[in-house]
mmCIF file of all heavy atoms in Angstrom:
data_model
loop_
_atom_site.group_PDB
_atom_site.id
_atom_site.type_symbol
_atom_site.label_atom_id
_atom_site.label_comp_id
_atom_site.label_asym_id
_atom_site.label_seq_id
_atom_site.Cartn_x
_atom_site.Cartn_y
_atom_site.Cartn_z
ATOM 1 N N TYR A 63 7.099 -4.252 -6.409
ATOM 2 C CA TYR A 63 6.460 -5.533 -6.119
ATOM 3 C C TYR A 63 5.502 -5.932 -7.241
ATOM 4 O O TYR A 63 5.524 -7.071 -7.715
ATOM 5 C CB TYR A 63 5.712 -5.450 -4.784
ATOM 6 C CG TYR A 63 4.971 -6.711 -4.423
ATOM 7 C CD1 TYR A 63 5.647 -7.792 -3.872
ATOM 8 C CD2 TYR A 63 3.607 -6.820 -4.648
ATOM 9 C CE1 TYR A 63 4.967 -8.958 -3.541
ATOM 10 C CE2 TYR A 63 2.928 -7.985 -4.328
ATOM 11 C CZ TYR A 63 3.618 -9.046 -3.774
ATOM 12 O OH TYR A 63 2.945 -10.192 -3.463
ATOM 13 N N VAL A 64 4.673 -5.005 -7.685
ATOM 14 C CA VAL A 64 3.707 -5.301 -8.744
ATOM 15 C C VAL A 64 4.430 -5.642 -10.039
ATOM 16 O O VAL A 64 4.046 -6.579 -10.755
ATOM 17 C CB VAL A 64 2.717 -4.127 -8.930
ATOM 18 C CG1 VAL A 64 1.858 -4.326 -10.160
ATOM 19 C CG2 VAL A 64 1.844 -3.979 -7.694
ATOM 20 N N LEU A 65 5.486 -4.920 -10.355
ATOM 21 C CA LEU A 65 6.256 -5.220 -11.574
ATOM 22 C C LEU A 65 6.877 -6.615 -11.503
ATOM 23 O O LEU A 65 6.879 -7.345 -12.496
ATOM 24 C CB LEU A 65 7.341 -4.172 -11.804
ATOM 25 C CG LEU A 65 6.853 -2.831 -12.327
ATOM 26 C CD1 LEU A 65 7.959 -1.790 -12.256
ATOM 27 C CD2 LEU A 65 6.328 -2.966 -13.752
ATOM 28 N N ARG A 66 7.390 -6.991 -10.338
ATOM 29 C CA ARG A 66 7.980 -8.332 -10.184
ATOM 30 C C ARG A 66 6.915 -9.413 -10.308
ATOM 31 O O ARG A 66 7.140 -10.447 -10.936
ATOM 32 C CB ARG A 66 8.704 -8.434 -8.847
ATOM 33 C CG ARG A 66 9.975 -7.604 -8.811
ATOM 34 C CD ARG A 66 10.581 -7.591 -7.445
ATOM 35 N NE ARG A 66 11.816 -6.827 -7.441
ATOM 36 C CZ ARG A 66 12.407 -6.393 -6.344
ATOM 37 N NH1 ARG A 66 11.882 -6.657 -5.166
ATOM 38 N NH2 ARG A 66 13.514 -5.700 -6.421
ATOM 39 N N GLN A 67 5.746 -9.191 -9.714
ATOM 40 C CA GLN A 67 4.668 -10.173 -9.836
ATOM 41 C C GLN A 67 4.187 -10.255 -11.282
ATOM 42 O O GLN A 67 3.873 -11.335 -11.773
ATOM 43 C CB GLN A 67 3.505 -9.825 -8.905
ATOM 44 C CG GLN A 67 3.846 -9.896 -7.431
ATOM 45 C CD GLN A 67 4.200 -11.291 -6.931
ATOM 46 O OE1 GLN A 67 4.105 -12.292 -7.634
ATOM 47 N NE2 GLN A 67 4.642 -11.357 -5.696
ATOM 48 N N LEU A 68 4.141 -9.122 -11.968
ATOM 49 C CA LEU A 68 3.760 -9.120 -13.381
ATOM 50 C C LEU A 68 4.752 -9.952 -14.189
ATOM 51 O O LEU A 68 4.351 -10.744 -15.044
ATOM 52 C CB LEU A 68 3.708 -7.690 -13.916
ATOM 53 C CG LEU A 68 3.445 -7.544 -15.412
ATOM 54 C CD1 LEU A 68 2.080 -8.096 -15.788
ATOM 55 C CD2 LEU A 68 3.580 -6.085 -15.826
ATOM 56 N N GLY A 69 6.042 -9.792 -13.901
ATOM 57 C CA GLY A 69 7.056 -10.600 -14.585
ATOM 58 C C GLY A 69 6.831 -12.079 -14.378
ATOM 59 O O GLY A 69 6.973 -12.888 -15.305
ATOM 60 N N LEU A 70 6.455 -12.448 -13.163
ATOM 61 C CA LEU A 70 6.159 -13.857 -12.875
ATOM 62 C C LEU A 70 4.941 -14.322 -13.672
ATOM 63 O O LEU A 70 4.956 -15.391 -14.281
ATOM 64 C CB LEU A 70 5.903 -14.042 -11.384
ATOM 65 C CG LEU A 70 5.398 -15.416 -10.957
ATOM 66 C CD1 LEU A 70 6.496 -16.451 -11.081
ATOM 67 C CD2 LEU A 70 4.856 -15.371 -9.540
ATOM 68 N N MET A 71 3.886 -13.513 -13.679
ATOM 69 C CA MET A 71 2.652 -13.883 -14.393
ATOM 70 C C MET A 71 2.907 -14.034 -15.894
ATOM 71 O O MET A 71 2.329 -14.916 -16.539
ATOM 72 C CB MET A 71 1.553 -12.838 -14.181
ATOM 73 C CG MET A 71 1.043 -12.732 -12.774
ATOM 74 S SD MET A 71 0.242 -14.229 -12.202
ATOM 75 C CE MET A 71 1.452 -14.859 -11.060
ATOM 76 N N LEU A 72 3.748 -13.199 -16.454
ATOM 77 C CA LEU A 72 4.031 -13.263 -17.890
ATOM 78 C C LEU A 72 4.811 -14.518 -18.273
ATOM 79 O O LEU A 72 4.829 -14.900 -19.438
ATOM 80 C CB LEU A 72 4.773 -12.005 -18.349
ATOM 81 C CG LEU A 72 3.956 -10.712 -18.272
ATOM 82 C CD1 LEU A 72 4.834 -9.512 -18.620
ATOM 83 C CD2 LEU A 72 2.736 -10.777 -19.173
ATOM 84 N N GLN A 73 5.460 -15.148 -17.305
ATOM 85 C CA GLN A 73 6.214 -16.369 -17.584
ATOM 86 C C GLN A 73 5.334 -17.622 -17.502
ATOM 87 O O GLN A 73 5.740 -18.684 -17.947
ATOM 88 C CB GLN A 73 7.371 -16.511 -16.589
ATOM 89 C CG GLN A 73 8.431 -15.447 -16.761
ATOM 90 C CD GLN A 73 9.502 -15.550 -15.695
ATOM 91 O OE1 GLN A 73 9.634 -16.565 -15.018
ATOM 92 N NE2 GLN A 73 10.272 -14.501 -15.535
ATOM 93 N N LEU A 74 4.150 -17.490 -16.932
ATOM 94 C CA LEU A 74 3.250 -18.645 -16.789
ATOM 95 C C LEU A 74 2.540 -18.942 -18.104
ATOM 96 O O LEU A 74 2.231 -18.033 -18.866
ATOM 97 C CB LEU A 74 2.191 -18.365 -15.732
ATOM 98 C CG LEU A 74 2.640 -18.238 -14.290
ATOM 99 C CD1 LEU A 74 1.469 -17.817 -13.419
ATOM 100 C CD2 LEU A 74 3.214 -19.543 -13.784
ATOM 101 N N ASP A 75 2.259 -20.222 -18.315
ATOM 102 C CA ASP A 75 1.400 -20.542 -19.455
ATOM 103 C C ASP A 75 -0.046 -20.252 -19.056
ATOM 104 O O ASP A 75 -0.386 -20.209 -17.885
ATOM 105 C CB ASP A 75 1.587 -22.002 -19.892
ATOM 106 C CG ASP A 75 1.248 -22.981 -18.800
ATOM 107 O OD1 ASP A 75 2.033 -23.094 -17.834
ATOM 108 O OD2 ASP A 75 0.185 -23.614 -18.902
ATOM 109 N N ALA A 76 -0.886 -20.044 -20.040
ATOM 110 C CA ALA A 76 -2.263 -19.605 -19.799
ATOM 111 C C ALA A 76 -3.038 -20.583 -18.925
ATOM 112 O O ALA A 76 -3.788 -20.171 -18.036
ATOM 113 C CB ALA A 76 -2.981 -19.391 -21.128
ATOM 114 N N SER A 77 -2.863 -21.883 -19.146
ATOM 115 C CA SER A 77 -3.653 -22.842 -18.371
ATOM 116 C C SER A 77 -3.267 -22.815 -16.890
ATOM 117 O O SER A 77 -4.138 -22.890 -16.023
ATOM 118 C CB SER A 77 -3.503 -24.259 -18.944
ATOM 119 O OG SER A 77 -2.170 -24.692 -18.850
ATOM 120 N N SER A 78 -1.975 -22.688 -16.582
ATOM 121 C CA SER A 78 -1.562 -22.609 -15.173
ATOM 122 C C SER A 78 -2.140 -21.367 -14.510
ATOM 123 O O SER A 78 -2.595 -21.414 -13.370
ATOM 124 C CB SER A 78 -0.038 -22.574 -15.063
ATOM 125 O OG SER A 78 0.511 -23.798 -15.470
ATOM 126 N N PHE A 79 -2.134 -20.267 -15.242
ATOM 127 C CA PHE A 79 -2.677 -19.025 -14.694
ATOM 128 C C PHE A 79 -4.183 -19.145 -14.461
ATOM 129 O O PHE A 79 -4.686 -18.827 -13.384
ATOM 130 C CB PHE A 79 -2.373 -17.852 -15.625
ATOM 131 C CG PHE A 79 -2.963 -16.560 -15.156
ATOM 132 C CD1 PHE A 79 -2.390 -15.856 -14.106
ATOM 133 C CD2 PHE A 79 -4.100 -16.045 -15.749
ATOM 134 C CE1 PHE A 79 -2.933 -14.672 -13.655
ATOM 135 C CE2 PHE A 79 -4.664 -14.857 -15.309
ATOM 136 C CZ PHE A 79 -4.076 -14.163 -14.259
ATOM 137 N N LEU A 80 -4.901 -19.606 -15.456
ATOM 138 C CA LEU A 80 -6.364 -19.684 -15.364
ATOM 139 C C LEU A 80 -6.835 -20.699 -14.328
ATOM 140 O O LEU A 80 -7.894 -20.536 -13.736
ATOM 141 C CB LEU A 80 -6.966 -19.995 -16.734
ATOM 142 C CG LEU A 80 -6.801 -18.886 -17.775
ATOM 143 C CD1 LEU A 80 -7.278 -19.359 -19.143
ATOM 144 C CD2 LEU A 80 -7.523 -17.619 -17.353
ATOM 145 N N GLU A 81 -6.049 -21.752 -14.115
ATOM 146 C CA GLU A 81 -6.408 -22.763 -13.120
ATOM 147 C C GLU A 81 -5.881 -22.410 -11.727
ATOM 148 O O GLU A 81 -6.175 -23.110 -10.763
ATOM 149 C CB GLU A 81 -5.870 -24.127 -13.552
ATOM 150 C CG GLU A 81 -6.541 -24.660 -14.809
ATOM 151 C CD GLU A 81 -5.846 -25.887 -15.367
ATOM 152 O OE1 GLU A 81 -4.901 -26.410 -14.716
ATOM 153 O OE2 GLU A 81 -6.234 -26.316 -16.460
ATOM 154 N N GLY A 82 -5.090 -21.359 -11.641
ATOM 155 C CA GLY A 82 -4.537 -20.962 -10.346
ATOM 156 C C GLY A 82 -3.428 -21.865 -9.863
ATOM 157 O O GLY A 82 -3.168 -21.964 -8.666
ATOM 158 N N ASN A 83 -2.756 -22.545 -10.790
ATOM 159 C CA ASN A 83 -1.667 -23.458 -10.443
ATOM 160 C C ASN A 83 -0.334 -22.722 -10.416
ATOM 161 O O ASN A 83 0.555 -22.962 -11.225
ATOM 162 C CB ASN A 83 -1.604 -24.613 -11.443
ATOM 163 C CG ASN A 83 -2.781 -25.534 -11.319
ATOM 164 O OD1 ASN A 83 -3.348 -25.670 -10.243
ATOM 165 N ND2 ASN A 83 -3.163 -26.155 -12.419
ATOM 166 N N PHE A 84 -0.211 -21.794 -9.502
ATOM 167 C CA PHE A 84 1.044 -21.057 -9.335
ATOM 168 C C PHE A 84 1.090 -20.516 -7.911
ATOM 169 O O PHE A 84 0.096 -20.509 -7.200
ATOM 170 C CB PHE A 84 1.158 -19.906 -10.342
ATOM 171 C CG PHE A 84 0.111 -18.843 -10.180
ATOM 172 C CD1 PHE A 84 0.339 -17.751 -9.364
ATOM 173 C CD2 PHE A 84 -1.104 -18.938 -10.838
ATOM 174 C CE1 PHE A 84 -0.619 -16.769 -9.204
ATOM 175 C CE2 PHE A 84 -2.074 -17.966 -10.687
ATOM 176 C CZ PHE A 84 -1.833 -16.881 -9.869
ATOM 177 N N VAL A 85 2.263 -20.110 -7.506
ATOM 178 C CA VAL A 85 2.462 -19.505 -6.192
ATOM 179 C C VAL A 85 3.012 -18.106 -6.430
ATOM 180 O O VAL A 85 3.934 -17.925 -7.241
ATOM 181 C CB VAL A 85 3.463 -20.338 -5.346
ATOM 182 C CG1 VAL A 85 3.732 -19.668 -4.014
ATOM 183 C CG2 VAL A 85 2.928 -21.744 -5.146
ATOM 184 N N TRP A 86 2.460 -17.129 -5.737
ATOM 185 C CA TRP A 86 2.970 -15.764 -5.864
ATOM 186 C C TRP A 86 4.414 -15.729 -5.388
ATOM 187 O O TRP A 86 4.783 -16.384 -4.422
ATOM 188 C CB TRP A 86 2.132 -14.794 -5.030
ATOM 189 C CG TRP A 86 0.745 -14.616 -5.546
ATOM 190 C CD1 TRP A 86 -0.392 -15.144 -5.030
ATOM 191 C CD2 TRP A 86 0.351 -13.878 -6.705
ATOM 192 N NE1 TRP A 86 -1.472 -14.769 -5.784
ATOM 193 C CE2 TRP A 86 -1.051 -13.996 -6.823
ATOM 194 C CE3 TRP A 86 1.033 -13.131 -7.654
ATOM 195 C CZ2 TRP A 86 -1.772 -13.388 -7.840
ATOM 196 C CZ3 TRP A 86 0.309 -12.524 -8.673
ATOM 197 C CH2 TRP A 86 -1.058 -12.656 -8.756
ATOM 198 N N ALA A 87 5.219 -14.964 -6.061
ATOM 199 C CA ALA A 87 6.630 -14.856 -5.702
ATOM 200 C C ALA A 87 6.780 -14.108 -4.384
ATOM 201 O O ALA A 87 6.004 -13.215 -4.075
ATOM 202 C CB ALA A 87 7.390 -14.135 -6.812
ATOM 203 N N ASP A 88 7.784 -14.488 -3.627
ATOM 204 C CA ASP A 88 8.093 -13.829 -2.370
ATOM 205 C C ASP A 88 9.390 -13.071 -2.554
ATOM 206 O O ASP A 88 10.436 -13.681 -2.780
ATOM 207 C CB ASP A 88 8.221 -14.869 -1.255
ATOM 208 C CG ASP A 88 8.409 -14.240 0.108
ATOM 209 O OD1 ASP A 88 8.054 -13.056 0.275
ATOM 210 O OD2 ASP A 88 8.901 -14.928 1.010
ATOM 211 N N PHE A 89 9.320 -11.766 -2.488
ATOM 212 C CA PHE A 89 10.507 -10.951 -2.690
ATOM 213 C C PHE A 89 10.962 -10.409 -1.346
ATOM 214 O O PHE A 89 10.175 -9.815 -0.614
ATOM 215 C CB PHE A 89 10.222 -9.807 -3.657
ATOM 216 C CG PHE A 89 9.812 -10.297 -5.016
ATOM 217 C CD1 PHE A 89 8.494 -10.223 -5.420
ATOM 218 C CD2 PHE A 89 10.738 -10.847 -5.874
ATOM 219 C CE1 PHE A 89 8.113 -10.682 -6.664
ATOM 220 C CE2 PHE A 89 10.367 -11.310 -7.112
ATOM 221 C CZ PHE A 89 9.056 -11.231 -7.511
ATOM 222 N N PRO A 90 12.238 -10.600 -1.027
ATOM 223 C CA PRO A 90 12.723 -10.159 0.284
ATOM 224 C C PRO A 90 12.725 -8.634 0.403
ATOM 225 O O PRO A 90 12.906 -7.913 -0.571
ATOM 226 C CB PRO A 90 14.149 -10.710 0.341
ATOM 227 C CG PRO A 90 14.551 -10.877 -1.083
ATOM 228 C CD PRO A 90 13.286 -11.183 -1.847
ATOM 229 N N VAL A 91 12.501 -8.194 1.627
ATOM 230 C CA VAL A 91 12.588 -6.773 1.953
ATOM 231 C C VAL A 91 13.952 -6.573 2.594
ATOM 232 O O VAL A 91 14.402 -7.413 3.369
ATOM 233 C CB VAL A 91 11.454 -6.383 2.930
ATOM 234 C CG1 VAL A 91 11.595 -4.944 3.383
ATOM 235 C CG2 VAL A 91 10.107 -6.627 2.286
ATOM 236 N N PRO A 92 14.637 -5.466 2.285
ATOM 237 C CA PRO A 92 15.961 -5.238 2.894
ATOM 238 C C PRO A 92 15.891 -5.328 4.416
ATOM 239 O O PRO A 92 14.869 -4.994 5.027
ATOM 240 C CB PRO A 92 16.314 -3.817 2.452
ATOM 241 C CG PRO A 92 15.449 -3.536 1.280
ATOM 242 C CD PRO A 92 14.221 -4.377 1.429
ATOM 243 N N ASN A 93 16.985 -5.774 5.007
ATOM 244 C CA ASN A 93 17.035 -5.978 6.453
ATOM 245 C C ASN A 93 17.389 -4.714 7.219
ATOM 246 O O ASN A 93 17.934 -4.790 8.308
ATOM 247 C CB ASN A 93 18.036 -7.081 6.800
ATOM 248 C CG ASN A 93 17.535 -8.435 6.371
ATOM 249 O OD1 ASN A 93 16.329 -8.671 6.327
ATOM 250 N ND2 ASN A 93 18.438 -9.325 6.035
ATOM 251 N N ASP A 94 17.097 -3.569 6.659
ATOM 252 C CA ASP A 94 17.368 -2.329 7.372
ATOM 253 C C ASP A 94 16.463 -2.262 8.599
ATOM 254 O O ASP A 94 15.255 -2.408 8.485
ATOM 255 C CB ASP A 94 17.090 -1.104 6.493
ATOM 256 C CG ASP A 94 17.978 -1.077 5.261
ATOM 257 O OD1 ASP A 94 19.086 -1.641 5.329
ATOM 258 O OD2 ASP A 94 17.558 -0.490 4.249
ATOM 259 N N PRO A 95 17.059 -2.043 9.778
ATOM 260 C CA PRO A 95 16.198 -1.936 10.956
ATOM 261 C C PRO A 95 15.333 -0.678 10.845
ATOM 262 O O PRO A 95 15.790 0.345 10.331
ATOM 263 C CB PRO A 95 17.187 -1.827 12.119
ATOM 264 C CG PRO A 95 18.462 -1.374 11.511
ATOM 265 C CD PRO A 95 18.461 -1.861 10.093
ATOM 266 N N PRO A 96 14.097 -0.761 11.298
ATOM 267 C CA PRO A 96 13.248 0.421 11.210
ATOM 268 C C PRO A 96 13.812 1.550 12.060
ATOM 269 O O PRO A 96 14.330 1.315 13.154
ATOM 270 C CB PRO A 96 11.896 -0.052 11.747
ATOM 271 C CG PRO A 96 12.169 -1.306 12.484
ATOM 272 C CD PRO A 96 13.439 -1.882 11.927
#
Side-chain angles (χ1 to χ4, degrees):
Y63 178 80
V64 171
L65 285 169
R66 290 173 178 164
Q67 295 295 354
L68 175 63
L70 172 71
M71 294 296 107
L72 293 174
Q73 293 176 17
L74 293 174
D75 60 287
S77 63
S78 293
F79 177 76
L80 293 173
E81 293 170 6
N83 291 331
F84 64 91
V85 177
W86 292 104
D88 186 21
F89 299 105
V91 175
N93 290 331
D94 298 333

